[in-house]
């Protein structure tokens, strides 16, 4: 059997799966941001025709998946696997979206790292010989997340300067073993890192050490320097978390000048009042499935390292005074 | 590349991963049940030295994983992947248990089907050539689940006749590409099935159609009849759900006389006041890692089809009047 493991935590795919198509659906606010032209559908009332925010979020996943399938000229019956997850308790956005779609389903939980986790696991299943087509889908919704994690929207709570704005967004990618498109050439599976941050309104700081560890391990495992990539994109560390990661690398004598962050790309930080930037599973998903993959397809970048980060806390763990475990997975995508 | 996919939803592993070791940890009530002799550790106060039930559940996962590693004469540093999930919001039992263990982590959510999902994904990663060792871990805790899904324990709510008892239990298996032990020879990845059951106190009925669909597909995909297996074990349909599955097969003219259910095996239904039986991710996990794998190792059975079932609801979806999506994954284990 071909050796696919590189170093401690990384994989080089023997037959890199192809990103055949991608699609996204976002809310009104996201559609007013700088990436507006990269979205397939911008909702006008964040309800998407449903009578609850939770159902709206499921609907966004369904639309994203079916739009991506249409672009790939495939139907749900072609899919060997659907890998999906979200932020809601018991991941109901994903399981209710998958209900009635008739696709073998594998539910994931990686908080805001889910687009990375689902993408690398889908790639592993295809490269491992377990099927021909797989979909990776994730979502978040400002309204469903805000009332679950923080306070009812009607309460009008003041946001702290380090807070991020949960994106109302869903993204879907279709991977195949054959066809045309960018390829998933490798990945680094993250470990849980917890440096003792207990402030649930400062998730950038909680997740930055996980991003640093995964990136450092990726470069070590693959023998690559950051300059191998045209763009290194974390998601969603936001403003503060991104500064921390660059500072960590600066201390190592490594310049991460071509680093960007999905949380900073999705919104206009000055004009849209989102404090430290965007967050939520849908943030990295919407940026990947639009801006990033479009850029690779158009030749703007050849090699991207996509590194979504997740804060694995819950309101219960926060109320019990626990610090925030975080994770980051890195996925190499090459045009 | 070798063809590993069988039919619509099934896999035959090219190099069947080996179940090198397994371990479990259960609460006091589970330790008073019929499977007492098959548990590695029976807790006396369900707290396992912690000051909250959530932390106790994490502690149980840690003990189960480390006991299994010790039995396999391995350490955490040998593990290429840890695949884990649980029932708590944002799966905190698993991520807090993995914190500090320094293992590449992939979080899953499959409700009570998680032992099946983690086991089949771990087997796929090893058979796919992505590593040498992987661990699959899951847990549930009566007290953390009860207050999250239903009412505070102190409330003393009356249980309905169809209710099941969430097991206080954790199970861990260590899979390897080489060594001695039972093998994971194949699997069937389930689809989400929802037949409209809205009663969250009748999860057996909600999950039974998913178990039936996965089993039927497994036999169709593999060309096997139920008699290929010495034992077919669902988990955790309980009394009512098990009857429904056998009735479905009876209507098809198929006799499932050697079917059993983890929810019925874990407790003494008459003597332990658990109504329809056990449930929770830890139920199937504790039965697999003790009774079932011990039985295969001792030659009691040669071939088992392990089919944990999950009800993918949340308290929010129930309060919004939604029916219960369910899933079942089947894993073939051969001695």
């Amino acid at each position: 059997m071909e050796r696919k493991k590189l170093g401690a935590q990384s994989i080089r795919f023997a037959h890199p799966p192809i990103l055949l198509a991608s699609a996204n659906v976002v809310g009104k606010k996201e559609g007013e941001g700088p990436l507006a032209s990269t979205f397939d559908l911008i909702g006008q009332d964040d309800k998407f025709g449903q009578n609850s925010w939770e159902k709206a979020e499921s609907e966004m996943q369904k639309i994203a998946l079916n739009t991506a399938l249409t672009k790939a000229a495939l139907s749900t019956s072609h899919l060997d696997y659907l890998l999906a997850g979200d932020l809601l308790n018991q991941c109901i956005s994903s399981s209710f979206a998958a209900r009635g779609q008739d696709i073998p389903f594998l539910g994931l939980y990686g908080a805001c790292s889910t687009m990375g986790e689902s993408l690398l696991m889908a790639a592993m299943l295809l490269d491992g010989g377990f099927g021909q087509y797989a979909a990776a889908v994730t979502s978040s919704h400002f309204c469903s997340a805000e009332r679950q994690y923080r306070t009812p929207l009607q309460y009008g709570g003041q946001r702290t300067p380090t807070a991020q704005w949960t994106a109302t967004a869903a993204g879907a990618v279709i991977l195949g073993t054959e066809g045309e498109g960018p390829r998933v050439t490798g990945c680094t599976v993250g470990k849980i890192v917890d440096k003792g941050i207990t402030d649930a309104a400062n998730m950038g700081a909680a997740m930055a050490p996980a991003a640093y560890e995964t990136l450092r391990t990726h470069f070590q495992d693959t023998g690559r320097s950051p300059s191998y990539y045209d763009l290194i994109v974390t998601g969603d560390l936001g403003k503060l978390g991104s500064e921390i990661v660059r500072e960590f690398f600066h201390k190592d004598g490594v310049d991460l000048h071509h680093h960007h962050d999905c949380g900073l790309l999705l919104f206009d930080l000055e004009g849209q009042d989102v404090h430290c930037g965007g967050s939520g599973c849908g943030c990295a998903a919407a940026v990947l499935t639009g801006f990033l993959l479009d850029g690779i397809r158009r030749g703007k970048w050849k090699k991207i390292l996509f590194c979504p980060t997740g804060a694995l806390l819950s309101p219960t763990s926060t109320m019990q005074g626990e610090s925030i475990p975080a994770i980051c997975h890195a996925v190499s995508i090459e045009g």
Side-chain angles (χ1 to χ4, degrees), chain A:
Chain A
M1 200 188 288
E2 197 164 354
R3 186 166 167 74
K4 298 172 180 177
K5 187 97 188 267
L6 287 177
Q9 292 167 241
S10 303
I11 293 295
R12 178 174 48 206
F13 291 112
H15 307 279
I18 299 131
L19 290 159
L20 297 173
S22 57
N24 52 33
V25 177
V26 301
K28 189 165 179 283
K29 187 182 182 87
E30 291 69 21
E32 290 163 355
L35 301 187
S37 67
T38 68
F39 301 131
D40 292 287
L41 178 66
I42 299 170
Q44 286 317 302
D45 65 356
D46 293 5
K47 280 287 198 72
F48 296 88
Q50 303 300 309
N51 62 8
S52 80
W53 291 318
E54 289 74 17
K55 287 182 196 168
E57 192 179 331
S58 281
E59 187 64 20
M60 291 170 70
Q61 279 203 22
K62 278 194 225 178
I63 298 170
L65 175 60
N66 286 294
T67 307
L69 280 169
T70 304
K71 289 185 188 178
L74 295 170
S75 70
T76 51
S77 63
H78 289 97
L79 291 175
D80 294 294
Y81 307 100
L82 167 58
L83 296 108
D86 59 87
L87 289 173
L88 294 188
N89 296 342
Q90 287 68 58
C91 300
I92 52 169
S93 315
S94 303
S95 44
F96 281 81
R99 180 172 69 170
Q101 302 261 32
D102 204 31
I103 310 166
F105 179 76
L106 294 163
L108 308 178
Y109 185 74
C112 307
S113 75
T114 303
M115 194 70 242
E117 184 183 355
S118 58
L119 189 54
L120 71 84
M121 290 190 96
M124 281 173 160
L125 297 192
L126 297 193
D127 185 67
F130 303 110
Q132 210 175 345
Y133 298 108
V137 183
T138 187
S139 65
S140 54
H141 194 299
F142 178 78
C143 305
S144 63
E146 205 62 21
R147 76 168 166 193
Q148 177 184 281
Y149 283 104
R150 295 170 194 98
T151 53
L153 288 185
Q154 296 84 341
Y155 178 75
Q158 185 101 2
R159 299 164 61 78
T160 66
T162 54
Q164 294 176 233
W165 188 278
T166 305
T168 299
V173 296
I174 311 294
L175 289 91
T177 50
E178 281 175 31
E180 292 299 312
R183 284 165 184 271
V184 179
T185 56
C187 65
T188 297
V189 178
K191 294 178 177 178
I192 290 181
V193 177
D194 185 335
K195 296 292 187 192
I197 301 283
T198 53
D199 179 2
N202 191 0
M203 295 210 264
M207 297 188 292
Y212 169 71
E213 288 296 339
T214 295
L215 281 166
R216 208 172 52 92
T217 304
H218 179 81
F219 299 135
Q220 200 171 302
D221 286 350
T222 59
R224 293 170 185 166
S225 71
S227 63
Y228 176 87
Y229 295 99
D230 302 314
L231 189 64
I232 294 169
V233 197
T234 50
D236 1 292
L237 298 176
K239 193 163 176 283
L240 183 63
S242 294
E243 280 164 13
I244 295 170
V245 166
R246 283 196 294 267
E247 177 63 23
F248 282 163
F249 276 104
H250 183 73
K251 280 189 181 162
D252 291 346
V254 176
D255 178 22
L256 223 62
H257 67 276
H258 58 320
H259 162 257
H260 222 310
D261 185 78
C262 297
L264 297 172
L265 287 160
L266 187 64
F267 292 113
D268 169 8
L269 261 63
E270 300 294 311
Q272 290 190 289
D273 190 28
V274 293
H275 297 211
C276 262
S279 70
C281 306
C283 179
V287 174
L288 172 75
T289 52
F291 181 65
L292 297 177
L293 290 177
D294 288 355
I296 292 181
R297 287 190 197 103
R298 281 200 247 100
K300 187 174 175 185
W301 308 293
K302 278 201 173 159
K303 293 168 184 165
I304 284 182
L305 189 61
F306 174 64
C307 317
T309 51
L312 303 170
L313 79 172
S314 85
T316 303
S317 69
T318 301
M319 285 190 286
Q320 291 181 355
E322 281 294 318
S323 55
I324 303 170
I327 198 160
C328 173
H329 301 296
V331 186
S332 303
I333 304 173
E334 307 193 24

